[in-house]
Every structure is written in C-alpha cells, then in structure tokens.
Amino acid sequence: MYISEIFKHKKAVYSFEIFPPKPTADLTGITDAIERLSRLSPDYISVTCSAGGSGNSRTAEISKLVKNHGIEPLAHVTCVNSEKKDVARTLQELSLSGIENVLALRGDRVEGMQSPDFSYANELVEFIKTSGYTFDIAAACYPEGHPESADLVSDIRNLKRKVDAGVTHLNTQLFFDNEDFFRFMDMIRLAGIDIPVQAGIMPLVKKNHVDRIISLSGAKIPAKISRMISRFYDKPESLMEAGIAYATDQIVDLISAGAAGIHLYVMNNASVAERITENISGIFKDVNGN
Ligand code: FAD
C-alpha cells in the first residue's frame, strides 16, 4: 500500500524507524524487534540504509521482513556516494521484494566518494520518478535547518525543489523543542509546500544515545532536556522514565496542534516503543476516530 493513501485516510499517522543489523549478524534480534513493533500496529515502519557507495546493504531484506509481518515498509535510499547504476540496482531489489515506498535521501558525504551522478536528494527523486518503477517517494526535512544550509529560508527553498520533483510526504529530523516544528510548518506552508509532514521524535532514554544523538543530529537542546540529562545521566532507570515522559509530552502537544503524524526513532528498542505507544494510543484513536 502507498503511504500517501494512509495520509488521505488518517488525521494522524504513526510510524517507527529501525536500522538493519550488520551484514554478518543473524536476524534473531531484529526479527524479535519487528514482531513486537508490529503488534503495536504502526501505519508503517521505515528501515534506514547506509550511505556508503556499495549502498543500501540489508535495507531491502529487512524491509521485506517488515512486510512479512503485515506492516508497510518504507525503505530508505541514499545517493550521494553512489552511481546511477548502483541506485538502479537498489530500486530493482526493492521492487522485487514487493516494496512500494521509499525515502529518498542524499546521505552524508564520504570523503573521496562523491557520486558523479548525484549531488542532492532532489536529483534522486527525479531519477526514481523516471526509473520506470512506481514507488511512493518520501523525503527528509529539518525543522532547525539542515546543518550545511546557510539559513532556514534557503534550506526550505531547496526543500521545495525536492518536493516539487515528486515527494508525497516528509519526515522531519528529530527535534526536542516543538516550537521549532511549529515555526517550520508555518514557513513551509508559506513557501507553498503543502504535503503531510510527520514529526520525528527521538526518546532520549539511554546514556549512549544522549552522547551520540546530541553530537550527530546537531539538534538544539532545550533547558528542560539539559536538566533531565544532568540529573539522570548515571541513573539508567530514571533516564528511561524521564526520556519516555518527555517524548510522550512532545507527542501529545504535536498531535494537539494538528501534526499530520509522528515518526518515532525507536533505535530497534521495542520496549521504548511499547511504553510510548501505550501512553499515546488513546489520543491517536480519538484523533483518527476509531
Ligand atoms: P538534501 O535534501 O539533498 O539536502 C542536503 C543539503 O543540501 C541541505 O543543506 C539543502 O538545503 C541543500 N540542498 C538540497 N538540494 C539542493 C540543491 N539542488 N542545490 C543546492 N543545495 C541543495 N542518512 C543515511 O545515510 N541513511 C538513512 O537511512 C538516513 N535516514 C534519514 C531519515 C530522516 C527522516 C532524516 C531527517 C535524515 C536521514 N539521514 C539518513 C540523514 C541524511 O542523509 C543527511 O541529513 C544528509 O546530510 C542530507 O540528506 P537529505 O536527503 O536531507 O539531503
């Protein structure tokens, strides 16, 4: 099923993001996680990919596993370190696996690997559109601006180019201050971008996430989060409780404000997804009228 169809029928879409295991790892852990996540009945589960040149490693395999559990997969595809022929092979593999939805990404540049064919995600969207496959195409956006862009206005100008190339919905980078999302939504609507935008929420529940996420995403850390981290950094159970409560609070506020959906970065941690889903499922049922 196309994810764009789900947006047509639901006021608030709910999804999870997982990442594939290493090439040599067996599938026990990820299969268990997908089984537990699928019981939470998300609208879809997205599967990340590596941005390395040889591409998208186990994304198709894990996306197929998601599909076999009765949940629609959204397979990530990157391009900046790949040639057209690599991307074409990935699209063929996804199509043969029965995948109907892809998230088209540039990926992060790897030194010495710049693709001769792709510089930005809008070029990947155009390539997929003319590839002969009929994928629904989603893309990424950044409520605080992409780290490489000079300012939010120029980033949104580039986002519009990507959307106009044929994107049907957007997933945001994680953020911790909902005001950034609300301001971003006002700006993109003014810029003429009117497709659904799902808010990306990352529950900060583990010490190693806190360190990695803060350094990698470049997300602004509100004082409330700083206090939470400094108070509970070395107290795993309390950090887990506090992180789940913070993410729940963010989601309730976003859905109250009419966000088109929530995309939960669950980092393959089904327990966290279970706890957050339990907190918010009544709200989603109410908003979606079921
Ligand atoms: P683009 O849309 O190409 O934008 C990148 C930068 O270039 C921005 O600053 C933009 O303003 C600028 N720009 C865009 N188009 C143009 C243009 N035509 N001319 C000039 N400037 C332009 N990475 C992975 O490796 N694997 C994943 O699975 C993955 N999943 C992600 C999922 C989500 C929801 C998000 C938000 C990010 C994900 N990323 C992933 C990270 C992503 O690959 C990086 O953030 C990357 O740096 C940008 O990718 P993009 O598709 O947003 O790029």
Side-chain angles (χ1 to χ4, degrees):
M1 185 187 206
Y2 288 140
I3 291 170
S4 55
E5 289 300 315
I6 304 177
F7 278 104
K8 282 183 198 153
H9 297 108
K10 281 198 158 178
K11 290 212 168 72
V13 169
Y14 185 51
S15 57
F16 301 135
E17 181 163 310
I18 60 172
F19 56 86
K22 293 203 166 69
T24 49
D26 78 13
L27 293 180
T28 319
I30 191 76
T31 305
D32 175 59
I34 292 171
E35 245 161 49
R36 289 174 62 185
L37 293 175
S38 63
R39 271 185 241 129
L40 303 174
S41 306
D43 291 302
Y44 68 89
I45 294 180
S46 86
V47 184
T48 66
C49 66
S50 125
S54 62
N56 300 300
S57 53
R58 303 186 81 173
T59 307
E61 181 187 7
I62 303 305
S63 299
K64 197 173 174 186
L65 198 57
V66 169
K67 202 172 175 77
N68 291 343
H69 281 80
I71 302 294
E72 202 55 54
L74 170 65
H76 296 203
V77 178
T78 55
C79 64
V80 76
N81 304 309
S82 310
E83 295 182 25
K84 277 185 178 168
K85 63 176 169 46
D86 304 318
V87 175
R89 203 179 314 119
T90 300
L91 297 178
Q92 185 186 35
E93 191 187 2
L94 291 171
S95 176
L96 289 172
S97 304
I99 310 306
E100 295 175 84
N101 301 279
V102 294
L103 182 77
L105 295 151
R106 187 195 72 180
D108 286 325
R109 299 183 193 284
V110 176
E111 220 183 306
M113 282 184 79
Q114 169 64 47
S115 165
D117 297 324
F118 301 103
S119 298
Y120 298 105
N122 65 294
E123 296 157 13
L124 175 61
V125 177
E126 284 155 21
F127 180 70
I128 297 171
K129 282 304 246 186
T130 54
S131 66
Y133 299 107
T134 52
F135 295 109
D136 229 24
I137 308 173
C141 64
Y142 303 81
E144 298 177 59
H146 183 268
E148 288 168 29
S149 60
D151 51 58
L152 195 49
V153 171
S154 54
D155 199 32
I156 290 174
R157 206 170 294 131
N158 290 326
L159 178 64
K160 172 105 170 64
R161 210 191 302 241
K162 182 160 72 175
V163 170
D164 288 348
V167 168
T168 53
H169 92 264
L170 294 167
N171 283 354
T172 77
Q173 176 62 288
L174 62 95
F175 59 89
F176 300 110
D177 184 346
N178 287 357
E179 293 308 320
D180 289 326
F181 177 80
F182 298 142
R183 184 184 51 150
F184 175 73
M185 290 305 297
D186 288 345
M187 288 174 75
I188 65 166
R189 294 312 186 215
L190 278 173
I193 297 173
D194 57 6
I195 59 174
V197 180
Q198 258 182 283
I201 297 298
M202 161 77 78
L204 277 184
V205 290
K206 284 192 177 167
K207 200 164 142 170
N208 62 339
H209 290 174
V210 171
D211 298 335
R212 270 191 60 227
I213 300 317
I214 291 174
S215 65
L216 284 181
S217 72
K220 196 175 76 197
I221 304 298
K224 224 171 152 181
I225 289 255
S226 300
R227 282 195 293 275
M228 180 183 105
I229 293 170
S230 49
R231 179 85 174 169
F232 302 124
Y233 188 76
D234 283 320
K235 300 197 168 68
E237 283 171 21
S238 299
L239 184 58
M240 175 70 75
E241 292 303 317
I244 286 173
Y246 192 94
T248 301
D249 191 44
Q250 260 194 294
I251 294 170
V252 171
D253 184 39
L254 288 160
I255 296 300
S256 306
I262 301 295
H263 186 61
L264 205 60
Y265 293 102
V266 295
M267 314 284 283
N268 298 7
N269 187 332
S271 309
V272 170
E274 283 161 355
R275 296 210 33 203
I276 290 182
T277 305
E278 193 186 344
N279 291 346
I280 56 157
S281 61
I283 288 169
F284 272 80
K285 278 192 187 130
D286 189 30
V287 168
N288 287 319
N290 55 23

